[in-house]
Amino acid sequence: MKVIDTITASKPTLSFEVFPPKTDDKFESVSRAVGEIATLAPDYMSVTYGAGGGTSEYTARIAADLLQKGVVSLAHLTCVSSTRERVFEQLEKLRALGIENILALRGDIPEGLDRTKLSYHYAYELIAEIRDFGGFCIGGACYPECHPESENSAKDIEYLKIKVENGCEFLTTQMFFDNSILYNFLYRLLRAGVDVPVVAGVMPVTNAVQIKRIASISGTPLPQKFLRIVDRYGSNPEALKQAGIAFATEQIIDLYANGINAVHVYSMNNPSVAGKIKENLKGIV
Ligand code: FAD
């Protein structure tokens, strides 16, 4: 089944992102966690692609296992550290495994990479190739708070339009913690003529490591409301987890209430967090 058909159906959808292991010895434990999340009957699950493509084998394997479990799977694929041959190999493999959905990304540019020797510079080039290859529903990434490398948000949106013109059928957002940022972004997308469905990416922040990581990398500020939770419960892991789940649940309900039909939860391979969110949304999705 194609993700585009799922997210454009009338009922609201809830999906989860998982990531593959970095090494073989972690495959079993990741696979178990992914299996547990799959039992929550999400509308689909996405499997990330390790930076630089190092874990590409595992992405395809986990996405294929999900299909076997009856879950619609969306395999991520990055291009900037890859070659055309390698991308075609991946597309052949995904097709052979019966995977019908790809989230097509540029990937972060590794430090020291010679940009003049790249096969791909932007995600739209990969998107166009996947479209020409045929048979896949293609998604892309978008950034309500602007991609960190962008000159400005107007340019960022202009480039999103190029992705859509090249075959991107839906967009999934980077995490954000203040829904008004998404609503404002959606308004600007529509004004720019970018009219594909947008899936809202929500990250339940449930531990101190995640908080540090978000603060250091993403240019995605945590709102005051959440920072107060961190001040109060930062040294109590159980309380922080509970508060993080409650915050994400409230954020998701507000999204649905404001007409956002598709929410994708960055599960961080944590079945207990994913399960609690699903339970909190019982009767809603
Ligand atoms: P692009 O769309 O190519 O954009 C990259 C930058 O180039 C932006 O600043 C954009 O404004 C600019 N740009 C785009 N097109 C043009 C153009 N035509 N001309 C000039 N400038 C242009 N990374 C992974 O390694 N693996 C994953 O599995 C993964 N999954 C992700 C899932 C989601 C939902 C999101 C939001 C991100 C994910 N990422 C992943 C991170 C992503 O690879 C990085 O954010 C990367 O830096 C940009 O990828 P992109 O596909 O958005 O790139």
Side-chain angles (χ1 to χ4, degrees), residues 2 50 57 101 121 155 157 209 250 258-259 272 276 279:
K2 301 267 163 81
E57 282 303 315
N101 304 289
H121 297 87
K155 279 274 173 210
I157 289 176
V209 177
E250 195 186 318
N258 280 283
S272 131
K276 290 224 162 72
E279 195 182 308

Side-chain angles (χ1 to χ4, degrees), residues 168-201:
C168 177
E169 294 167 76
F170 69 95
L171 293 163
T172 304
T173 74
Q174 176 64 289
M175 68 180 100
F176 55 92
F177 298 97
D178 175 352
N179 288 351
S180 63
I181 290 168
L182 179 76
Y183 304 143
N184 182 283
F185 177 67
L186 292 178
Y187 172 72
R188 284 182 294 131
L189 284 185
L190 278 181
R191 271 183 59 145
V194 179
D195 57 0
V196 294
V198 175
V199 179

Side-chain angles (χ1 to χ4, degrees), residues 17-18 20 46-53 59 75-79 103-109 121-125 127 140-143 146-152 155-160 162-163 171-175 199 201 264 266:
E17 179 189 276
V18 292
S46 77
V47 188
T48 67
Y49 196 76
T59 298
H76 294 205
L77 179 63
T78 68
C79 61
L103 194 77
L105 302 139
R106 185 196 68 179
D108 285 326
I109 300 181
H121 297 87
Y122 299 110
Y124 82 88
E125 298 162 87
I127 288 167
C142 66
Y143 304 83
C146 204
H147 185 265
E149 286 166 38
S150 291
E151 296 152 62
N152 56 54
K155 279 274 173 210
D156 215 27
I157 289 176
E158 205 179 287
Y159 298 138
L160 281 179
I162 298 178
K163 287 209 246 204
L171 293 163
T172 304
T173 74
Q174 176 64 289
M175 68 180 100
V199 179
H264 196 54
Y266 297 118

Side-chain angles (χ1 to χ4, degrees), residues 71-234:
V71 176
V72 175
S73 68
L74 167 66
H76 294 205
L77 179 63
T78 68
C79 61
V80 78
S81 302
S82 197
T83 59
R84 295 217 135 70
E85 293 69 33
R86 180 106 186 88
V87 161
F88 277 90
E89 252 173 48
Q90 287 298 314
L91 296 180
E92 294 285 7
K93 182 188 288 171
L94 294 174
R95 178 185 275 173
L97 289 167
I99 291 155
E100 294 182 275
N101 304 289
I102 297 180
L103 194 77
L105 302 139
R106 185 196 68 179
D108 285 326
I109 300 181
E111 242 175 76
L113 197 73
D114 181 352
R115 290 189 187 219
T116 62
K117 298 213 169 87
L118 299 179
S119 300
Y120 301 90
H121 297 87
Y122 299 110
Y124 82 88
E125 298 162 87
L126 175 65
I127 288 167
E129 281 189 357
I130 302 174
R131 178 200 55 201
D132 295 345
F133 188 86
F136 290 106
C137 165
I138 311 167
C142 66
Y143 304 83
E145 292 177 272
C146 204
H147 185 265
E149 286 166 38
S150 291
E151 296 152 62
N152 56 54
S153 59
K155 279 274 173 210
D156 215 27
I157 289 176
E158 205 179 287
Y159 298 138
L160 281 179
K161 199 166 180 199
I162 298 178
K163 287 209 246 204
V164 170
E165 284 162 359
N166 278 277
C168 177
E169 294 167 76
F170 69 95
L171 293 163
T172 304
T173 74
Q174 176 64 289
M175 68 180 100
F176 55 92
F177 298 97
D178 175 352
N179 288 351
S180 63
I181 290 168
L182 179 76
Y183 304 143
N184 182 283
F185 177 67
L186 292 178
Y187 172 72
R188 284 182 294 131
L189 284 185
L190 278 181
R191 271 183 59 145
V194 179
D195 57 0
V196 294
V198 175
V199 179
V202 171
M203 165 82 100
V205 181
T206 56
N207 63 58
V209 177
Q210 282 174 313
I211 292 164
K212 271 200 198 118
R213 196 159 169 271
I214 291 163
S216 69
I217 55 154
S218 63
T220 309
L222 281 164
Q224 280 304 319
K225 187 176 167 189
F226 195 81
L227 291 174
R228 277 196 293 278
I229 293 175
V230 176
D231 283 347
R232 179 73 175 85
Y233 301 113

